[in-house]
Amino acid sequence: MPKSTIDSIDRKIIAALQADGRLSNTQLADAVGLSPSPCLRRVKRLEQDGLIEGYRAVLQRDRVGLGFTAFVQVKIAEHADDRADALQDAIVAMPEVVACHMVSGDSDYLLEVVVPDRESYQAFLVGKLLELPIIKEVRSNIAIQPLKTAAPLPLHHLG
C-alpha cells in the first residue's frame, strides 16, 4: 500500500486524535486551526486512506480483571506450508492474544497474551496454544509492571 501524502495539519489531526479519540469535530478543528467542515473532510480522508483505522477505549487491564500479561515467543516446526497459515489464523482468533507479530530472530512469532491470572495463563498455554500441532517451542516472559502501554505512535518522521 503506497504511503499517503499528509501535511502538517494532517499530522496535527492524527496527533490530537491519538491523544484523545473522543474529541468532537469542533474541538478537533479548534485544536488544529481549521473550521469544522474542512477538518471533518480531512479526518474522513485519513480514515479512507487507512491512516486512521479505528477508535477504541484504552482500558486499565487490572481494573477489568485482566491483570496478567505474558509476552510469548513461539517457534514453529515448518514455515512454508498451509499449516503455518492455519497457525496464524488460529492465533489471531484467540481473544487472549491482544497482539501478534511475525518476527525474526530466535522465534517466529511474538504474542502478547492478556488473561486474569497465572492459572488462566496456564490454561491458555496448555489448553490452546500448545494444542496447535505446528508449534515447536514456546517461551513465556511474564510482565511484572507496565511502564508504557498504548502509547501514541511517533509522528515526527511524517511529511
Side-chain angles (χ1 to χ4, degrees):
M1 179 174 182
K3 274 187 170 177
S4 294
T5 304
I6 63 171
D7 61 18
S8 62
I9 295 173
D10 291 336
R11 284 193 300 280
K12 288 179 186 178
I13 289 170
I14 293 168
L17 289 173
Q18 283 192 111
D20 184 358
R22 294 187 63 172
L23 287 174
S24 71
N25 184 58
T26 304
Q27 292 169 317
L28 180 60
D30 287 344
V32 302
L34 289 176
S35 61
S37 292
C39 183
L40 184 58
R41 282 193 297 273
R42 282 177 177 260
V43 170
K44 294 296 181 194
R45 179 182 48 79
L46 291 168
E47 291 170 350
Q48 290 170 349
D49 289 353
L51 276 89
I52 298 173
E53 69 174 313
Y55 303 88
R56 61 185 56 92
V58 178
L59 305 177
Q60 289 292 328
R61 293 175 181 187
D62 58 338
R63 297 190 99 188
V64 296
L66 295 168
F68 190 94
T69 300
F71 296 93
V72 183
Q73 297 169 295
V74 175
K75 188 179 284 191
I76 61 173
E78 298 104 21
H79 288 271
D81 69 8
D82 293 338
R83 288 178 32 162
D85 291 338
L87 171 82
Q88 290 177 20
D89 293 342
I91 288 173
V92 168
M94 294 176 181
E96 300 89 347
V97 178
V98 298
C100 175
H101 302 271
M102 183 184 288
V103 296
S104 63
D106 292 336
S107 58
D108 298 305
Y109 297 93
L110 179 62
L111 315 179
E112 182 177 359
V113 176
V114 177
V115 292
D117 51 35
R118 184 184 54 78
E119 292 80 13
S120 300
Y121 179 66
Q122 180 179 350
F124 165 80
L125 184 64
V126 174
K128 286 187 175 182
L129 194 60
L130 291 176
E131 288 293 314
L132 300 173
I134 193 172
I135 291 184
K136 179 178 176 182
E137 183 179 323
V138 170
R139 292 181 184 223
S140 300
N141 294 287
I142 307 308
I144 303 300
Q145 177 183 6
L147 300 177
K148 184 177 184 180
T149 61
L153 296 177
L155 302 176
H156 59 275
H157 73 286
L158 296 176

